[in-house]
Amino acid sequence: MDWNDERQVDVFFKAHAGLRRQGPGNAETTQRALERVGALPKGARVIDLGCGPGASTVDLAQRLPDARVLGIDLHAPFVEELTESIRQHGLEARAHGTVGDMAAPPADAGPFDLMWSEGAAYAIGFERALSCWRPLLAPGGRIACSEAVWLSDERPPEVVANWEEYPEMTDRLGCLERAARAGLRLVSDFTLPESAWLEHYYDPMERTLEGLRTRYAGDDVALSVLEECQFEIDVYRRYSDVYGYQFFVFETA
């Protein structure tokens, strides 16, 4: 896909419109990661980086009733969805969303007791993301984020093609090495289950793709984007034992 082609980008976001999440994850894995983060101070400052439409942001605000939670994302329509979701859940006093770059989090909102990111760090590269975030951690603060990893040494051609836009993808140990270079050490980690990929992400996206194929019948450019999305789904269903997402919790080394 050509990210400089406005037409292709528009179709891509239409394929992802209305999804509760824009990557693997669900409420259960959010809770599991939070348990590994441990206790946070009263009035903790929390930031959700690359929050998308904000499912995890809202989860965090609900599960951390004493915290102030900020969600940031570059895509303004996602932030609008987050803002509405915050309003619907009555969380305006403690949570809000803003358009922003995860590579340059708002320093004036920190330092942060918890820096959170689900399925988004790859957009700027895992090591770069951790290096950007670590300076904004409060003393004793933690970073909790999920990252695509190889689970096997097997590299079927379809899988390689699916991940060609992220050549720096590595395995769990490679992620830990990058975290160490960023000045962080592991607290805990786990692999996301298949349900975290399918429940709020691939299954609903696939239903959206069905309707868009009819809408864009005869439009080769749009259909090519939709087929790339379908290819991603199909590859995961066939090779979920080859790659996945690992949820890491880090602290300052």
Side-chain angles (χ1 to χ4, degrees):
M1 177 171 161
D2 184 357
W3 290 100
N4 294 314
D5 186 321
E6 292 184 6
R7 169 75 169 147
Q8 293 187 46
V9 171
D10 177 66
V11 175
F12 174 85
F13 278 114
K14 282 186 170 61
H16 289 71
L19 300 180
R20 286 196 62 220
R21 293 178 178 267
Q22 295 297 317
N26 57 25
E28 289 74 21
T29 54
T30 294
Q31 178 61 32
R32 187 175 175 187
L34 268 179
E35 290 168 356
R36 297 179 183 217
V37 166
L40 294 173
K42 187 174 180 62
R45 294 185 177 186
V46 178
I47 186 168
D48 186 6
L49 300 133
C51 65
S56 55
T57 314
V58 170
D59 278 350
L60 290 169
Q62 291 177 317
R63 295 170 192 273
L64 300 170
D66 293 324
R68 291 168 290 170
V69 183
L70 170 65
I72 72 167
D73 199 281
L74 274 176
H75 190 52
F78 285 161
V79 176
E80 291 172 5
E81 289 185 52
L82 168 58
T83 300
E84 177 59 19
S85 183
I86 288 171
R87 186 194 65 78
Q88 290 178 359
H89 287 86
L91 297 168
E92 300 99 316
R94 296 189 301 103
H96 72 281
T98 188
V99 176
D101 185 353
M102 74 170 74
D108 59 349
F112 298 101
D113 300 288
L114 175 59
M115 303 186 78
W116 189 276
S117 185
E118 295 195 31
Y122 79 93
I124 60 173
F126 188 64
E127 186 171 346
R128 181 188 174 201
L130 296 180
S131 297
C132 290
W133 301 342
R134 182 187 174 278
L136 294 179
L137 273 180
R142 293 189 167 179
I143 294 175
C145 61
S146 60
E147 168 70 351
V149 297
W150 297 115
L151 301 175
S152 165
D153 292 333
E154 182 184 4
R155 300 288 190 276
E158 287 176 294
V159 176
V160 172
N162 187 59
W163 288 99
E164 63 182 356
E165 292 185 2
Y166 193 37
E168 66 180 77
M169 181 172 162
T170 185
D171 58 13
R172 174 182 177 274
L173 290 179
C175 287
L176 297 184
E177 290 170 0
R178 292 171 183 180
R181 290 197 293 268
L184 298 164
R185 64 183 171 217
L186 182 69
V187 174
S188 185
D189 69 310
F190 62 91
T191 305
L192 268 65
E194 287 188 17
S195 59
W197 289 72
L198 302 175
E199 181 183 7
H200 296 303
Y201 189 40
Y202 280 160
D203 285 351
M205 187 199 301
E206 197 162 38
R207 292 191 290 271
T208 299
L209 294 177
E210 292 175 4
L212 290 176
R213 288 191 188 96
T214 300
R215 175 178 176 180
Y216 289 114
D219 185 333
D220 291 342
V221 172
L223 291 175
S224 70
V225 174
L226 301 181
E227 287 314 303
E228 282 191 40
C229 294
Q230 185 66 58
F231 177 73
E232 177 184 331
I233 296 170
D234 293 341
V235 170
Y236 179 73
R237 287 198 171 124
R238 290 185 61 188
Y239 298 107
S240 61
D241 58 333
V242 174
Y243 64 93
Y245 263 82
Q246 196 78 3
F247 217 128
F248 297 97
V249 177
F250 296 114
E251 64 184 0
T252 302

